[in-house]
């Protein structure tokens, strides 16, 4: 039985910040952001959006009444949880109008958990081939205003349907997971912004990629020439380049050149949105598929990483007409609204966060189909517009 990613969709906020403008405001050379980090634009989050609204918006783009009938499970992977007990998947299931006979859970392991969700979904479909699993990777990356990590913020969600006979990517059987207890990035329960040891985290990321890829080669006997492309988790696009170059080193043959070219294709959307945490790898996959000329039958490698730390390398085979089963991201990104640095700072500080007060937001200017209206009696209030 072939099992894999049948459909994919991406959603982000309607507002964005130009990082050249941010660099000027912060007194930094813009090249440090656009070249050194590899980011151009960054999604800005209004208080009316969170992981529930973004996740539901992404899922809405790929669902049809016929597809909804087969969804048995909704798994939301996030490190931007809105409740320490109740799963965000329950809210999303309700907003989407899915059957009450649906399993709903939330998963966490930094930026890695969407990959675990896909593997678990694959197991569900293997046991029940008639079922489809909706996997949503939704996050809001926050490091604080005028901090070293500010340039690697972002927001968005990637929704995926995992089923038999997939239309985008058939997942192959061999996967390699690798984990260690490492403090390179974490967010305590009392904090709304993450704590990170950036240079250390980058080194751990490269180590985990090399460990998992080498182990994969030992298990399969496959070489770099067997891959049409390698995709990476990209909290910022330069991280993917560091991972690939850690593997290629001084190699500059046709295979290495091809992998570098495809890496550039996979970076394009992340450069315009920023860090998606759990969704970053899958946005890079969508970017690759929509900005390259890969053919059906191509093997794609995927490296997933989550600080703390866990990594996994696995592969998939591209299906015929895969391009028809995703939303056109570049076209949608053209219609966003640019905000000034001052507007961005105001929106950043207006998030609900850990506020325990009743609050009502003005949702009239938010064009997305799902919004967070506010909070009453310690309960978040969502609305389908």
């Amino acid at each position: 039985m072939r099992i894999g990613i049948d459909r994919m969709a991406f959603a982000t906020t309607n507002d964005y910040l130009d990082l050249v403008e941010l660099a000027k405001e912060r007194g930094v050379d813009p090249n440090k952001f656009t070249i050194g980090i590899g980011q151009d634009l960054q999604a800005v989050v209004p208080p009316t959006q969170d992981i529930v609204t973004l996740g539901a918006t992404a899922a809405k783009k790929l669902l049809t009444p016929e597809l909804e009938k087969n969804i048995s499970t909704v798994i939301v992977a996030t490190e931007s949880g809105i409740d320490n007990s109740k799963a965000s998947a329950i809210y999303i299931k309700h907003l989407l109008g899915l059957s009450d006979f649906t399993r709903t859970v939330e998963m966490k392991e930094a930026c890695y958990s969407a990959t675990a969700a896909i593997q678990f979904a694959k197991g569900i479909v293997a046991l029940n081939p008639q079922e489809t699993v909706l996997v949503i990777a939704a996050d809001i990356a926050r490091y604080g205003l005028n901090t070293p990590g500010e340039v690697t913020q972002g927001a968005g969600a990637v929704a995926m349907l995992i089923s038999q006979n997939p239309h985008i990517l058939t997942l192959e059987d061999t996967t390699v997971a690798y984990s260690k207890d490492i403090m390179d990035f974490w967010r305590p329960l009392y904090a709304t912004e993450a704590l990170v040891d950036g240079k250390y985290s980058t080194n751990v990321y490269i180590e985990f990629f090399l460990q998992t890829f080498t182990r994969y080669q030992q298990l399969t006997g496959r070489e770099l020439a067997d891959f049409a492309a390698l995709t990476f988790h990209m909290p910022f696009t330069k991280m993917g380049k560091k991972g690939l170059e850690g593997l290629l080193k001084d190699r500059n043959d046709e295979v290495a050149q091809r992998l570098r070219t495809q890496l550039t294709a996979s970076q394009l959307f992340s450069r315009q949105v920023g860090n998606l945490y759990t969704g970053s790898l899958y946005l890079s996959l969508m970017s690759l598929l929509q900005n390259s000329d890969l053919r059906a039958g191509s093997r794609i490698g995927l490296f997933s990483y989550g600080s703390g730390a866990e990594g996994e390398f696995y592969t998939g085979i591209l299906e015929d007409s895969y391009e028809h089963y995703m939303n056109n991201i570049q076209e949608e990104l053209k219609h966003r609204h640019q905000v000034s640095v001052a507007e961005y700072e105001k929106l950043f500080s207006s998030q609900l966060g850990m506020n325990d007060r009743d609050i009502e937001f003005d949702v009239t200017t938010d064009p997305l189909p799902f919004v967070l209206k506010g909070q009453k009696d310690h309960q978040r209030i969502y609305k389908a517009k």
Side-chain angles (χ1 to χ4, degrees), residues 225-251:
D226 296 316
F227 293 90
L230 297 177
T231 54
F232 293 83
H233 164 59
M234 290 184 192
F236 54 94
T237 63
K238 195 66 172 288
M239 184 76 99
K241 178 177 174 60
K242 288 177 181 290
L244 181 60
E245 294 305 328
L247 177 66
L248 297 179
K249 299 186 185 305
D250 295 328
R251 184 168 171 175

Side-chain angles (χ1 to χ4, degrees), residues 69-106:
K69 294 177 183 178
N70 296 324
I71 295 176
S72 68
T73 304
V74 179
I75 307 175
V76 174
T78 186
E79 57 180 280
S80 311
I82 60 165
D83 190 286
N84 287 326
S85 176
K86 186 173 180 179
S88 53
I90 294 178
Y91 293 100
I92 292 176
K93 185 222 88 172
H94 174 72
L95 286 174
L96 295 174
L98 299 179
S99 167
D100 287 346
F101 293 100
T102 303
R103 182 186 297 110
T104 53
V105 293
E106 181 175 310

Side-chain angles (χ1 to χ4, degrees), residues 100-120:
D100 287 346
F101 293 100
T102 303
R103 182 186 297 110
T104 53
V105 293
E106 181 175 310
M107 298 185 62
K108 179 179 72 177
E109 174 30 53
C111 302
Y112 161 77
S113 59
T115 297
I118 288 173
Q119 299 298 351
F120 297 163

Side-chain angles (χ1 to χ4, degrees), residues 82-222:
I82 60 165
D83 190 286
N84 287 326
S85 176
K86 186 173 180 179
S88 53
I90 294 178
Y91 293 100
I92 292 176
K93 185 222 88 172
H94 174 72
L95 286 174
L96 295 174
L98 299 179
S99 167
D100 287 346
F101 293 100
T102 303
R103 182 186 297 110
T104 53
V105 293
E106 181 175 310
M107 298 185 62
K108 179 179 72 177
E109 174 30 53
C111 302
Y112 161 77
S113 59
T115 297
I118 288 173
Q119 299 298 351
F120 297 163
K122 183 180 176 183
I124 291 173
V125 176
L127 290 172
N128 305 281
Q130 76 282 3
E131 296 183 4
T132 297
V133 178
L134 172 59
V135 172
I136 299 172
D139 268 304
I140 297 172
R142 288 173 61 96
Y143 295 96
L145 299 175
N146 205 12
T147 63
E150 184 176 32
V151 69
T152 61
Q153 297 178 143
V158 176
M160 298 169 276
L161 291 181
I162 309 301
S163 71
Q164 66 169 328
N165 302 321
H167 286 99
I168 296 178
L169 196 71
T170 292
L171 301 181
E172 296 188 288
D173 290 336
T174 302
T175 70
V176 178
Y178 186 79
S179 62
K180 285 185 177 181
D181 185 0
I182 291 173
M183 299 301 288
D184 62 328
F185 171 106
W186 68 103
R187 182 168 68 84
L189 289 175
Y190 53 78
T192 57
E193 281 82 45
L195 304 172
V196 60
D197 185 339
K199 186 175 181 180
Y200 179 46
S201 187
T202 297
N203 292 336
V204 175
Y205 172 103
I206 296 171
E207 176 199 346
F208 274 46
F209 170 55
L210 296 178
Q211 289 280 5
T212 55
F213 186 78
T214 299
R215 178 64 173 162
Y216 174 87
Q217 287 186 302
Q218 292 169 347
L219 294 174
T220 63
R222 293 185 180 125

Side-chain angles (χ1 to χ4, degrees), residues 366-379:
D366 192 323
L368 295 191
F370 302 102
V371 291
L372 172 63
K373 291 183 62 179
Q375 180 172 268
K376 186 174 182 180
D377 297 329
H378 306 284
Q379 300 175 39

